[in-house]
Amino acid sequence: MRSHEAADAPPTADRTPVPAARRASSVGLVLAACLATIPTLAVAAEAAPAGAAHPSVSTSPSASRAASAENRSAAGLDRYYRQRPGWGSCVTGPDDTTGRDLDRAGVQCADVTVPLDYAAPRGRTITVAISRLRATDTRHRIGAILLNIGGPGGPAVAHPPAARAAMKEVGARYDIVGFDPRFVGRSTPLDCGWPLGMTWLSAGADRAGFDWQVALQKSLADKCRAAGASVLPHISTRNTARDMDVIRGALGERKISYLGYSYGTYLGTVYTQMFPGRHDRMVLDGAIDPGDYRPRLLEGAERENEKALADWAVWAAERHGVYGLGRTRAEVLASVDRVVAASARGPLTIGSGADAFRIDDSQVPLLLFSGIADDTEPARASFGELLSVLVKAAGGAPTTLPEGIAGELRYALRGEGEPTGAQSAIICGDVAAARDPEQYWRDIERSRAAHPLFGPLTHNINPCAFWDRPREEPTRVRRDASALIVAATGDPRTTYKGSVELRRLLPSSRLITLEGANRHALYGSYANACVDEQVNRYLATGRLPAKDRTCVKETG
């Protein structure tokens, strides 16, 4: 039995996980989920004139008060919709290499002013950073398309050049607009000052580990509240959707197209419900079932992750000479089990010197989880290198970290290099989480029997259990909307059934299914010609396929 710090001891930074998609994907894909069962209420969506629209809200008492305030203050919102961005250089300082790259690519940047609280538009304001790569085929210009890369909390200011490359010929017909959601990246960033970058941990092997995490997650919530008490109540998907509509108005567009990945599919769906008739062409890649959006969002994805890990094990077994993990799938999976068991006995040390990190059984399952959201060759190879390091560490041998991983671990395990807490603030902002730690422990133990590796991860407690309750009820999908939904059958993050359910909720939508891929986020980054052609045809013509379509994973 390993020893743990006492549950009331100050949590330390080297018990934190690695970010789930920093190495192999351009889309922020770490998602967590909660068992809270707050009923969703209807959204009374009333579209105001396009030049001065203001959102309506759901019908809870607090939301009704907000709606009344918004109605009384419509004139106060006009100034936000009528602002015009001051486009200029994207460089924010001498060390801003991203800004210089954007300038070289012809991207311009600006800030849009929005209210902190849409119920009090004459009060405090914040800024949302936007970027724009203007259409070059102005004669056939379609309009503006807004980007969200998921996360939650993924900044997208840097992404217009990649989006234009994915869009191929039709990209020249759009103004491609990236934005960093409120309190993320360049948009009045929140920094909770956490001693770690990621919080989505496994509960580990025993009750002592879980009790330690209860103390850790509470301390993180308290620290974030102390750092950002005035803004946390205003971090929500609904407020980000309101910001999106202000951006639309500031750009002078009556309708705006949208490309959203992962969490961005939920954000895009919420936008369609709050602002019906305001979107043009909408692509939702790796969709979330809106009814399942909550702090423990990964709950229910255990089987998909087990299959993705098993499929990767087949790949690794064929390369035993490179990674030394086993010659069969069973042998590779046995290597995984040995790493998990060793980390439960005591922390494993990986790396050396200043970049030596100690990881235990609260973090190892997330490292494994992080490596299987992408079944491309480079991603699988990166995961093979990391698991080889873990196997050596489990045997007590000294290790050298693969190139590039140390920097990611410095953020994940120590909170170095970037602000911390924004992702959790977004995840906690829509749906209240269960409060009682015993409920989490019961869920963990029930799940552990069937899913010993991933169950304690997907059911674990997180900071949302100690967050203040959201001010609004979450959005309920009650209106049809036209959208193109893209999904892989083996998606281990936002599972395929979520996309199927969103397709059902939006009868006018269409679903493009990619069979045979264990991949989260497809369009423009997975190099599947069938998927990319379907999306680009829709972006070019505005016409959805006559029926749902199926593509097949390309080999080689």
Side-chain angles (χ1 to χ4, degrees):
M1 181 70 68
R2 63 184 173 142
S3 62
H4 287 274
E5 297 94 333
D8 58 351
T12 56
D14 51 334
R15 292 179 54 92
T16 51
V18 171
R22 287 174 168 261
R23 288 191 301 279
S25 174
S26 63
V27 182
L29 306 178
V30 180
L31 301 171
C34 171
L35 196 60
T37 54
I38 301 299
T40 55
L41 301 180
V43 176
E46 299 174 358
H54 59 91
S56 59
V57 296
S58 56
T59 56
S60 67
S62 61
S64 296
R65 289 193 296 272
S68 297
E70 286 178 337
N71 291 335
R72 291 193 303 270
S73 306
L77 285 171
D78 288 350
R79 65 187 178 106
Y80 299 106
Y81 280 88
R82 292 173 180 167
Q83 68 185 300
R84 290 296 174 259
W87 297 106
S89 170
C90 294
V91 177
T92 59
D95 299 326
D96 185 7
T97 57
T98 297
R100 288 196 293 274
D101 289 343
L102 290 172
D103 282 359
R104 284 193 289 268
V107 178
Q108 291 184 308
C109 292
D111 287 332
V112 171
T113 301
V114 298
L116 172 66
D117 182 354
Y118 276 86
R122 299 183 188 279
R124 178 180 169 185
T125 63
I126 58 173
T127 57
V128 173
I130 62 174
S131 60
R132 181 179 66 179
L133 188 56
R134 301 195 70 171
T136 55
D137 186 357
T138 55
R139 182 176 179 182
H140 302 101
R141 182 182 181 274
I142 294 169
I145 185 167
L146 196 60
L147 310 178
N148 183 277
I149 63 167
V157 159
H159 282 263
R164 175 152 291 175
M167 294 166 72
K168 299 181 180 177
E169 292 83 2
V170 71
R173 300 174 62 192
Y174 282 91
D175 288 352
I176 303 175
V177 180
F179 79 106
D180 291 356
R182 54 172 50 204
F183 305 111
V184 169
R186 302 180 180 210
S187 296
T188 317
L190 170 71
D191 189 354
C192 294
W194 288 348
L196 50 86
M198 301 299 299
T199 65
W200 313 118
L201 297 156
S202 172
D206 55 35
R207 180 62 192 239
F210 173 73
D211 288 343
W212 184 93
Q213 294 204 19
V214 172
L216 168 66
Q217 303 294 352
K218 183 179 186 304
S219 74
L220 296 176
D222 291 344
K223 194 171 183 65
C224 205
R225 189 178 296 109
S230 64
V231 302
L232 291 181
H234 308 291
I235 304 177
S236 69
T237 302
R238 290 177 63 80
N239 278 334
T240 299
R242 293 175 175 118
D243 295 344
M244 285 171 52
D245 204 56
V246 169
I247 292 170
R248 176 200 58 75
L251 293 173
E253 303 285 344
R254 291 193 63 82
K255 292 186 176 184
I256 197 160
S257 295
Y258 179 79
L259 169 60
Y261 296 89
S262 192
Y263 165 81
T265 68
Y266 175 65
L267 173 61
T269 301
V270 169
Y271 184 81
T272 69
Q273 303 303 296
M274 293 179 69
F275 301 97
R278 294 293 174 79
H279 76 278
D280 185 9
R281 299 157 206 200
M282 179 162 286
V283 179
L284 306 177
D285 189 331
I288 294 173
D289 174 0
D292 279 346
Y293 185 76
R294 52 199 175 194
R296 283 194 297 184
L297 190 57
L298 288 170
E299 190 176 34
E302 297 85 11
R303 293 187 187 280
E304 287 82 356
N305 281 276
E306 289 163 352
K307 184 180 186 304
L309 180 60
D311 289 350
W312 174 83
V314 173
W315 178 92
E318 295 170 352
R319 295 158 179 82
H320 174 70
V322 178
Y323 303 108
L325 300 172
R327 292 181 171 83
T328 66
R329 182 182 71 171
E331 290 179 356
V332 173
L333 293 176
S335 294
V336 171
D337 290 342
R338 286 195 300 274
V339 169
V340 174
S343 69
R345 292 191 295 269
L348 309 180
T349 299
I350 58 175
S352 59
D355 286 330
F357 303 93
R358 289 166 59 80
I359 58 172
D360 64 14
D361 64 337
S362 69
Q363 299 144 4
V364 165
L366 187 56
L367 288 170
L368 303 174
F369 170 89
S370 301
I372 55 177
D374 186 346
D375 63 3
T376 60
E377 196 77 9
R380 284 182 158 176
S382 178
F383 184 43
E385 293 173 1
L386 180 58
L387 192 55
S388 294
V389 169
L390 292 173
V391 168
K392 291 175 183 176
T399 61
T400 301
L401 289 173
E403 184 178 357
I405 289 181
E408 299 164 11
L409 294 176
R410 282 194 293 271
Y411 171 75
L413 304 183
R414 301 170 184 167
E416 295 178 4
E418 299 176 31
T420 57
Q423 183 186 66
S424 291
I426 295 168
I427 290 174
C428 300
D430 286 14
V431 179
R435 301 290 182 180
D436 183 6
E438 294 305 316
Q439 180 173 339
Y440 291 89
W441 180 245
R442 290 191 296 270
D443 294 339
I444 289 163
E445 289 296 273
R446 279 194 296 265
S447 179
R448 192 191 303 276
H451 309 290
L453 178 57
F454 293 120
L457 170 66
T458 60
H459 291 78
N460 197 21
I461 199 165
N462 61 51
C464 301
F466 308 99
W467 222 255
D468 294 340
R469 293 182 64 87
R471 292 194 172 185
E472 294 186 71
E473 300 292 344
T475 301
R476 183 175 180 181
V477 177
R478 297 178 62 89
R479 293 175 177 269
D480 191 11
S482 173
L484 186 63
I485 303 167
V486 180
T489 54
D491 187 336
R493 295 295 174 271
T494 56
T495 60
Y496 181 65
K497 59 181 177 286
S499 292
V500 172
E501 176 61 13
L502 183 60
R503 168 69 175 89
R504 186 191 70 80
L505 291 170
L506 304 177
S508 294
S509 65
R510 295 293 182 270
L511 175 61
I512 304 298
T513 297
L514 178 62
E515 290 188 340
N518 300 323
R519 167 66 186 235
H520 183 60
L522 299 171
Y523 169 64
S525 61
Y526 194 62
N528 183 274
C530 175
V531 168
D532 290 353
E533 288 168 6
Q534 293 284 343
V535 173
N536 284 335
R537 185 178 300 121
Y538 167 61
L539 291 175
T541 65
R543 294 190 297 273
L544 289 166
K547 60 182 181 179
D548 296 342
R549 299 290 178 87
T550 298
C551 299
V552 178
K553 178 183 176 181
E554 298 169 2
T555 59

